[in-house]
Amino acid sequence: MRIAFCVHPKLAHATEQRIACVKWLAARGVEAVEVDSNQLLIDSPEFSQITEEAKDISLVCVLGGDGTILRGTRLAYALEVPLLGVNFGNLGFLSGATSGALFPALEAFLAGELHEDSRGMLSVDATFSDGSVVHYTALNEILIGRSAIGKVIVVNISVNGNPLPAPRGDGVIVATATGSTAYALSAGGPLLTPDHQGLCIVPVSCLGFHAAALVSAPSDVIHLSAQPHADQYPLLCIDGQPLETNLGENHVCSVVVTKAERPMVLLRYNTPDFYARIAHSLAGGSHAH
């Protein structure tokens, strides 16, 4: 068995724990493989090579915060293996274990005793100005936003071919239930339980009725396109990562977003349920998600 570790590069304690894990797992006949989190970014040219080299792993284990976990999700989803996030960051909404429970959580995984959470994913087809169409997946959300500071962007929205009022502001988020606790929440969107299968459309910093969030059905097809403006290009972000190829001559024109056919599996070890985590986090604490 092989386990891939993705570690936040600037968290010394997480790096120390990964080194300890290598020895701990080796004593149990398990190989630990390190994956550079920077190679898991949306536009990373090394990503395909990483997935090829990691084909035979059984688990992606991430030591860090939610941002690092989102990077690890790309690898785990591509390989169709579960992910165990161990919180070395702040909120840790996506993590399934605390840093102090790393070794018990790994032991539970080896024994097949970790709880599995199936999380809905976004399937995104982005069309660029050169006519190319690129497919992405996301665990939390995508954003069509403004690239120019101080300028508003108008985003056309349609659901199943039915046009909705076009919000004028900073942009529009489409989030999963998992992502409803992240950027979408800060923009005024609703909290959705993790097993909710629909998506959520949340305008960002928009005025009037146009600012109302909309919860969609699981089968809905959401289409977003930014109205052209001479002063700026629309910015596309996937799980908090802006696309490097997004600006200039070849920019994103529109995206089609649906619920992905296959879910992401997140593993949990002795963590509280959704409502307990929400209550604790809203009170200013942190918990594994």
Side-chain angles (χ1 to χ4, degrees):
M1 178 184 291
R2 302 175 77 211
I3 295 177
F5 282 86
C6 178
V7 183
H8 191 296
K10 295 183 179 180
L11 294 178
H13 182 46
T15 300
E16 292 169 1
Q17 290 290 80
R18 182 196 63 79
I19 295 171
C21 283
V22 173
K23 298 178 180 179
W24 188 88
L25 289 168
R28 290 157 177 78
V30 179
E31 181 184 357
V33 180
E34 183 179 8
V35 176
D36 185 347
S37 63
N38 290 326
Q39 295 179 327
L40 303 180
L41 293 171
I42 291 294
D43 284 333
S44 170
E46 296 92 0
F47 183 72
S48 59
Q49 178 182 347
I50 292 296
T51 55
E52 183 67 27
E53 294 174 351
K55 271 186 175 179
D56 57 346
I57 69 168
S58 302
L59 172 71
V60 173
C61 183
V62 179
L63 311 185
D66 287 340
T68 311
I69 292 173
L70 285 172
R71 295 187 188 187
T73 297
R74 291 196 70 219
L75 178 62
Y77 193 72
L79 298 174
E80 300 187 29
V81 300
L83 180 143
L84 172 64
V86 184
N87 184 27
F88 283 81
N90 295 315
L91 281 178
F93 257 109
L94 294 174
S95 59
T98 61
S99 58
L102 170 58
F103 291 98
L106 287 174
E107 192 165 26
F109 169 74
L110 296 178
E113 296 174 351
L114 287 183
H115 179 81
E116 294 187 356
D117 280 343
S118 292
R119 301 298 184 91
M121 295 280 291
L122 295 177
S123 175
V124 184
D125 289 313
T127 300
F128 291 83
S129 55
D130 66 355
S132 62
V133 179
V134 182
H135 179 74
Y136 303 97
T137 57
L139 175 62
N140 267 1
E141 78 281 306
I142 65 103
L143 164 75
I144 288 283
R146 59 188 178 94
S147 60
I149 297 175
K151 301 288 185 179
V152 300
I153 190 170
V154 181
V155 180
N156 300 315
I157 307 173
S158 69
V159 179
N160 301 333
N162 301 300
L164 301 177
R168 179 184 178 89
D170 286 353
V172 173
I173 296 167
V174 180
T176 62
T178 299
S180 73
T181 62
Y183 190 8
L185 177 62
S186 69
L191 288 170
L192 304 176
T193 59
D195 58 352
H196 178 77
Q197 298 301 305
L199 306 179
C200 188
I201 305 170
V202 185
V204 182
S205 299
C206 299
L207 296 175
F209 179 74
H210 296 174
L214 173 66
V215 178
S216 70
S219 60
D220 284 345
V221 178
I222 301 165
H223 186 277
L224 305 177
S225 62
Q227 294 183 11
H229 196 285
D231 293 336
Q232 67 170 317
Y233 298 104
L235 178 69
L236 175 60
C237 293
I238 309 288
D239 274 344
Q241 297 178 37
L243 300 186
E244 295 295 333
T245 58
N246 202 90
L247 303 177
E249 294 182 1
N250 187 29
H251 58 274
V252 68
C253 293
S254 63
V255 295
V256 177
V257 187
T258 58
K259 175 179 173 290
E261 293 183 2
R262 177 168 55 87
M264 177 70 214
V265 177
L266 300 182
L267 301 179
R268 288 195 294 115
Y269 174 78
N270 288 350
T271 54
D273 69 15
F274 172 75
Y275 297 103
R277 293 194 299 274
I278 287 296
H280 185 82
S281 297
L282 292 182
S286 62
H287 256 319
H289 190 37

